[in-house]
Amino acid sequence: MISLITFAAFLASVSQSYAQTAVTVKVASTLQQIDGFGVSQAFGRAAEFRDMLSGDPQRQGLDYLFNTTTGAGLTIIRNRIGSGTTADDSILPKSPGGPTAAANYSFDDNDRGQVWFSQQAMAYGVKTIYADAWSAPGFMKTNNNENNGGYLCGTPGHTCSSGDWRQAYADFLVQYVKYYAERGIPVTQLGFLNEPDYVTSYSSMQSGANEAASFIPILHETLEKNGLGNVSLACCDAMGWNSQRTITQGLVSAGMEQYLKYITSHMYTGDPNSVISTKLKTWQTEAADLQSRWCATWYGSGGQCEGMTWASKIHNGLANANLSAYIYWQGVEVNQFQASSYLVASDGQTLTPSGRLWAFAMWSRFVRPGAYRVSTTGSVSSTGITAFQNTDKSVVVVFLNSGGSQQSVKVSFTDFTPAAAEAFVTDNTRSVASVTSTLANGAVTVSVPSRGMLTVKLTA
């Protein structure tokens, strides 16, 4: 009797594991547009990448980030606009003497390696370059220091004996964009704040919605006057989603949506898990595991450094918060094995991609800029589903299975008839590995691995 019960339980388990579930992708039912996925190499990491790696290791590092065949195929980079007191960290390291005095700008053609990194990314086809300032130069702020918070002089409630520096700060930011444009690197998005709800010992500047609203029209007008109206403004890179939601409510009430194109946030005090009420696109512009030592694991115990954890974060951001972009903190680091705040590690010779990189790849390699997320119906046990249509009309369906059983799924389509399909999986033993899928009668059948991902791309 015991053996019969055990056998019956086994059969039930097998049946549950391989029972086929039906999902329908409604291709004509569009949701948010996707701008892409990316990384930063700010604070000198770009220069370290360039100078500490050379030849094949350097190329392999770039391939891991941007190659659409062997890497993640990332399509966004986020550069820092420096505000320091030295020429390598600011285009205006010294005060001109007052907000209306002539500014003696200079550019070192390096920008701590970010010029090189931008050029390399562009060679892979990257077209989205987000330039963001962590702070205004110290002499423009109430605390006369680029670090430790402080407010921009001239914003509401923050007067300075030196005067109102809002226009000067706008001029500073626009000049940075112009320096890059002169070198054939078009900045496409511009931000003027980073974590304005957090005071820290490195470059930082405080701001709420009122302060930001007093500056945004000035920056918008300055871009227009300099022939840079095609550069889109973003705000405000708050520490977490709920904080950014509060700031956004203030910006919307102040009428700032007419000047902005993007609402931007980080995830350190709260992941994006619901829609922010705005007509603007929303981006997750900085995310990382800041607690763990380096790990390349896909799935172990659900730890913060694991790829599966980050796949869940990205999925929730796309599916529940309607994100248009998701950006990890750093791309490649050399000899920094005390941290998992980046995607690819190197000891100077060997490069090791993390499970986090492959989590990004399962979307970014296949869901390209300009795609739209589309609706789906039907559910699969323990499995998240996002679907997209690219500008070339191909359709991509991404499955994330957090459960302990493989799931068989039959995917049908409305307003789309697939003629070919290719599928890829990532789990503990495979990284964006090609697997079989069955296409018949306008539907595709796939097997989603336990605690893993499957992406299927279909063409008409």
Side-chain angles (χ1 to χ4, degrees):
M1 179 65 70
I2 294 175
S3 61
L4 288 175
I5 292 173
T6 302
F7 183 66
F10 170 75
L11 287 178
S13 174
V14 170
S15 176
Q16 182 179 15
S17 297
Y18 292 95
Q20 191 175 91
T21 307
V23 169
T24 300
V25 177
K26 303 173 72 175
V27 177
S29 177
T30 57
L31 301 166
Q32 79 269 26
Q33 189 177 38
I34 303 301
D35 295 313
F37 306 83
V39 290
S40 177
Q41 294 284 155
F43 286 100
R45 269 73 165 203
E48 291 173 1
F49 185 0
R50 178 194 63 202
D51 299 339
M52 297 177 72
L53 295 176
S54 61
D56 290 343
Q58 185 185 94
R59 178 53 54 193
Q60 187 179 17
L62 291 166
D63 279 343
Y64 274 135
L65 297 181
F66 302 118
N67 193 297
T68 56
T69 303
T70 61
L74 300 176
T75 54
I76 301 175
I77 61 171
R78 176 177 177 242
N79 290 340
R80 171 179 172 263
I81 302 174
S83 52
T85 59
T86 58
D88 68 337
D89 193 46
S90 178
I91 62 170
L92 190 62
K94 298 184 184 303
S95 172
T100 60
N104 185 24
Y105 297 116
S106 64
F107 191 61
D108 66 358
D109 282 303
N110 182 17
D111 201 20
R112 303 184 74 182
Q114 291 183 136
V115 169
W116 170 83
F117 185 62
S118 300
Q119 291 168 335
Q120 297 301 311
M122 289 175 63
Y124 283 84
V126 171
K127 294 181 173 63
T128 304
I129 299 175
Y130 175 35
D132 188 29
W134 267 237
S135 173
F139 54 80
M140 298 184 182
K141 295 166 58 185
T142 55
N143 64 342
N144 199 36
N145 189 330
E146 69 149 338
N147 306 320
N148 301 308
Y151 292 85
L152 179 63
C153 294
T155 55
H158 308 292
T159 58
C160 300
S161 60
S162 58
D164 182 342
W165 286 85
R166 288 176 298 171
Q167 182 61 61
Y169 184 39
D171 293 339
F172 168 86
L173 295 170
V174 169
Q175 183 59 53
Y176 180 92
V177 173
K178 290 168 71 174
Y179 278 136
Y180 266 74
E182 290 165 2
R183 286 148 183 84
I185 304 169
V187 170
T188 49
Q189 284 81 14
L190 177 64
F192 60 96
L193 291 171
N194 176 79
E195 298 174 357
D197 49 341
Y198 180 60
V199 176
T200 186
S201 59
Y202 52 81
S203 52
S204 54
M205 185 168 71
Q206 294 164 270
S207 177
N210 287 340
E211 289 87 355
S214 80
F215 177 71
I216 289 168
I218 296 172
L219 180 55
H220 183 271
E221 182 181 9
T222 305
L223 284 167
E224 293 281 351
K225 286 182 176 179
N226 283 271
L228 294 168
N230 59 322
V231 177
S232 300
L233 290 183
C235 192
C236 304
D237 285 66
M239 277 286 286
W241 197 246
N242 286 335
S243 178
Q244 185 57 54
R245 185 193 310 278
T246 299
I247 295 173
T248 302
Q249 289 171 348
L251 293 176
V252 171
S253 296
M256 292 300 106
E257 286 178 307
Q258 65 181 304
Y259 304 109
L260 297 170
K261 291 291 179 65
Y262 301 90
I263 293 297
T264 52
S265 179
H266 300 176
M267 47 65 68
Y268 299 117
T269 59
D271 285 296
N273 54 17
S274 60
V275 174
I276 289 179
S277 181
T278 176
K279 65 183 181 182
L280 306 174
K281 288 182 176 180
T282 52
W283 282 15
Q284 172 67 55
T285 49
E286 186 180 315
D289 171 15
L290 300 180
Q291 307 301 321
S292 309
R293 291 186 58 82
W294 167 258
C295 86
T297 307
W298 173 255
Y299 178 80
S301 60
Q304 283 300 303
C305 67
E306 296 175 9
M308 189 73 184
T309 298
W310 284 90
S312 179
K313 288 178 182 289
I314 297 168
H315 168 81
N316 287 335
L318 293 169
N320 300 326
N322 285 357
L323 290 179
S324 291
Y326 204 110
I327 303 173
Y328 203 75
W329 174 217
Q330 298 285 342
V332 175
E333 292 257 25
V334 183
N335 295 323
Q336 297 293 330
F337 297 102
Q338 80 283 0
S340 278
S341 55
Y342 53 100
L343 299 178
V344 181
S346 176
D347 60 5
Q349 292 296 324
T350 302
L351 283 96
T352 304
S354 66
R356 300 179 299 282
L357 178 83
W358 300 127
F360 274 86
M362 292 297 282
W363 280 280
S364 188
R365 194 190 284 190
F366 309 100
V367 181
R368 306 303 290 169
Y372 278 89
R373 187 164 76 90
V374 298
S375 299
T376 64
T377 59
S379 62
V380 180
S381 177
S382 303
T383 302
I385 307 167
T386 49
F388 310 84
Q389 185 169 44
N390 285 309
T391 58
D392 66 2
K393 302 305 180 182
S394 63
V395 172
V396 177
V397 189
V398 184
F399 298 91
L400 172 65
N401 180 4
S402 61
S405 300
Q406 176 176 287
Q407 300 294 329
S408 178
V409 187
K410 183 178 181 180
V411 187
S412 302
F413 304 85
T414 60
D415 299 293
F416 178 77
T417 304
E422 50 182 349
F424 302 84
V425 298
T426 292
D427 57 16
N428 269 338
T429 61
R430 297 168 290 182
S431 301
V432 201
S434 178
V435 293
T436 59
S437 60
T438 303
L439 182 62
N441 300 319
V444 63
T445 301
V446 294
S447 294
V448 186
S450 62
R451 296 191 175 90
M453 294 184 70
L454 181 138
T455 298
V456 59
K457 180 178 179 180
L458 304 109
T459 53

